[in-house]
Amino acid sequence: MLALLSLLSLLPVALTLPLLGFEHARFLGLGDSTDDNSATDTPTALDLASVNATFLKPALFARVAYCSSASITSWSCGAPCQALKNITFLQSGGDEGAIPLYYIAHDGTDNSLVVAHEGTDPKKLLSILNDAQFGLVALNSSRFPDSVGQNITVHDGFQQTFERTADGLLAGVMSGLASTGATKVFVTGHSLGAALATMTGALIKTNVPSSVPVEITGFGLPRGGNEEWANFLDTIGVNFMSNQNDPVPTVPPKFLGFQHSSGEAHIIDPSTPNIVSCPGQDNENCATGNSLLDISIPNHLGPYFNGLSFGGSQCDD
Ligand SMILES: *[C@@H]1O[C@H](CO)[C@@H](O)[C@H](O)[C@H]1NC(C)=O
Ligand SMILES: *[C@@H]1O[C@H](CO)[C@@H](O)[C@H](O)[C@H]1NC(C)=O
Ligand SMILES: *[C@@H]1O[C@H](CO)[C@@H](O)[C@H](O)[C@H]1NC(C)=O
Ligand SMILES: *[C@@H]1O[C@H](CO)[C@@H](O)[C@H](O)[C@H]1NC(C)=O
């Protein structure tokens, strides 16, 4: 009986390991959650009104980023575009290949600029995350003068990807603010797009006048840097959502020196919905406390809340 039970409990791993590849599972780092820089405070329930207030708009724009560049430019990507009214497309960059797509748009309903980054499929992301050549490297502090002397390191692969579009993206935001008179900036993304959103959001925050609020939001966000980077992001403010047993928010693992910022909202059950706000960094009661036995790649895509999922399948092309 005991043997049967342990076999059954291994079943989810047996089903997901072929997807991830053993080299990935080895680095998942699940179960290494208990250390002294993981928060343990009890999460608090979030009602749907506050989830909507923080996450709905960023989720809808991040979903559009999975559609083709041409259909985003003309704002005709089908349901994901139709869910957002009064939008003026301003700029896109990247190539939908090695350099992930991003776009900048003006939202007339609240006079804001939105920067949204495309993600990548979870298997590709896990291979970037676990690629041995991508360890922690020094943050390019010439882009972040406030970070000098703070010993900040970030994921090499994320920073290299960020660097490929940083100049054009920042120029687009600055000229977009000037041409539209927008009073606020939202930066958002899912998956790899969420990791890029934390870096471009910090870059934008560093460069816009302090009177312009910058809201950075991520979905299925992997860890992007060390504890000093997490603390730096905390001074700017990041909100991110982790869904049930998605393995992506638990990689790269803490034992390799990676740490999440604060600001996690964790989905326990998307249907009710049962979503909690997780105090501190890497709260053990949220994604960081997940067990290797329960990982679910489908949870990375969704649904998150209001039936919202990510990936290109909802786009017209
Ligand atoms: C949250 O947003 C969804 C989608 O727009 C809407 O259907 C729902 O009524 C909202 N709920 C609350 C409590 O604001
Ligand atoms: C649509 O956007 C324009 C500016 O681009 C703004 O003046 C107008 O109030 C917006 N309309 C709605 C319904 O939000
Ligand atoms: C660091 O940022 C500067 C711009 O501030 C850029 O010119 C340079 O290429 C970046 N360095 C690397 C290694 O990406
Ligand atoms: C800088 O950070 C690394 C890990 O990210 C750590 O090992 C090292 O001790 C830190 N150095 C200082 C001076 O804080």
Side-chain angles (χ1 to χ4, degrees), residues 48-49 52 56 306:
L48 187 55
N52 277 354
L56 180 56
N306 297 342

Side-chain angles (χ1 to χ4, degrees), residues 239-259:
N239 287 299
F240 64 100
M241 208 168 227
S242 60
N243 186 21
Q244 300 169 90
N245 295 309
D246 176 6
V248 171
T250 68
V251 289
K254 286 168 65 67
F255 71 76
L256 291 180
F258 287 85
Q259 176 91 353

Side-chain angles (χ1 to χ4, degrees), residues 210-234:
S210 58
S211 58
V212 177
V214 179
E215 281 198 21
I216 307 170
T217 313
F219 301 86
L221 171 72
R223 295 191 184 99
N226 66 356
E227 190 172 353
E228 288 79 358
W229 172 242
N231 294 340
F232 185 72
L233 288 179
D234 279 355

Side-chain angles (χ1 to χ4, degrees), residues 8-316:
L8 282 176
S9 70
L10 281 172
L11 204 56
V13 185
L15 290 174
T16 42
L17 284 189
L19 263 177
L20 294 172
F22 278 105
E23 71 276 24
H24 301 135
R26 192 157 50 87
F27 279 102
L28 275 177
L30 293 157
D32 71 327
S33 59
T34 41
D35 58 23
D36 52 14
N37 56 7
S38 294
T40 54
D41 295 339
T42 307
T44 51
L46 281 172
D47 61 22
L48 187 55
S50 35
V51 170
N52 277 354
T54 306
F55 291 102
L56 180 56
K57 171 177 167 139
L60 292 172
F61 278 94
R63 185 173 63 164
V64 167
Y66 277 99
C67 301
S68 73
S69 174
S71 71
I72 295 172
T73 303
S74 55
W75 212 258
S76 59
C77 62
C81 284
Q82 281 157 20
L84 289 158
K85 310 285 183 214
N86 213 358
I87 307 302
T88 308
F89 168 86
L90 296 174
Q91 174 178 313
S92 66
D95 63 1
E96 300 172 86
I99 310 175
L101 179 96
Y102 77 84
Y103 69 88
I104 305 172
H106 178 252
D107 184 343
T109 60
D110 60 0
N111 195 24
S112 64
L113 279 198
V114 182
V115 178
H117 292 270
E118 185 184 15
T120 185
D121 88 68
K123 277 182 277 176
K124 223 156 118 189
L125 177 60
L126 287 161
S127 78
I128 297 172
L129 287 168
N130 294 318
D131 193 321
Q133 81 179 27
F134 293 142
L136 286 164
V137 295
L139 178 69
N140 183 355
S141 58
S142 72
R143 292 201 184 275
F144 303 95
D146 293 348
S147 75
V148 171
Q150 290 185 33
N151 196 21
I152 295 177
T153 56
V154 293
H155 187 271
D156 191 8
F158 293 162
Q159 178 158 257
Q160 284 184 29
T161 308
F162 159 79
E163 282 291 344
R164 291 192 180 114
T165 51
D167 291 321
L169 186 152
L170 182 60
V173 168
M174 299 316 277
S175 68
L177 283 173
S179 67
T180 64
T183 55
K184 192 170 183 174
V185 183
F186 290 85
V187 188
T188 182
H190 166 253
S191 190
L192 173 62
L196 294 173
T198 61
M199 298 202 75
T200 61
L203 179 70
I204 292 164
K205 183 67 192 168
T206 302
N207 285 278
V208 298
S210 58
S211 58
V212 177
V214 179
E215 281 198 21
I216 307 170
T217 313
F219 301 86
L221 171 72
R223 295 191 184 99
N226 66 356
E227 190 172 353
E228 288 79 358
W229 172 242
N231 294 340
F232 185 72
L233 288 179
D234 279 355
T235 66
I236 296 170
V238 171
N239 287 299
F240 64 100
M241 208 168 227
S242 60
N243 186 21
Q244 300 169 90
N245 295 309
D246 176 6
V248 171
T250 68
V251 289
K254 286 168 65 67
F255 71 76
L256 291 180
F258 287 85
Q259 176 91 353
H260 266 305
S261 67
S262 308
E264 179 180 4
H266 183 63
I267 302 174
I268 296 166
D269 180 349
S271 62
T272 348
N274 180 359
I275 303 175
V276 293
S277 168
C278 314
Q281 297 176 346
D282 272 301
N283 193 303
E284 286 172 22
N285 302 297
C286 295
T288 295
N290 280 353
S291 156
L292 175 58
L293 298 180
D294 296 323
I295 54 177
S296 162
I297 295 285
N299 284 171
H300 184 58
L301 300 176
Y304 280 68
F305 61 101
N306 297 342
L308 261 158
S309 292
F310 297 96
S313 62
Q314 300 157 75
C315 308
D316 269 2

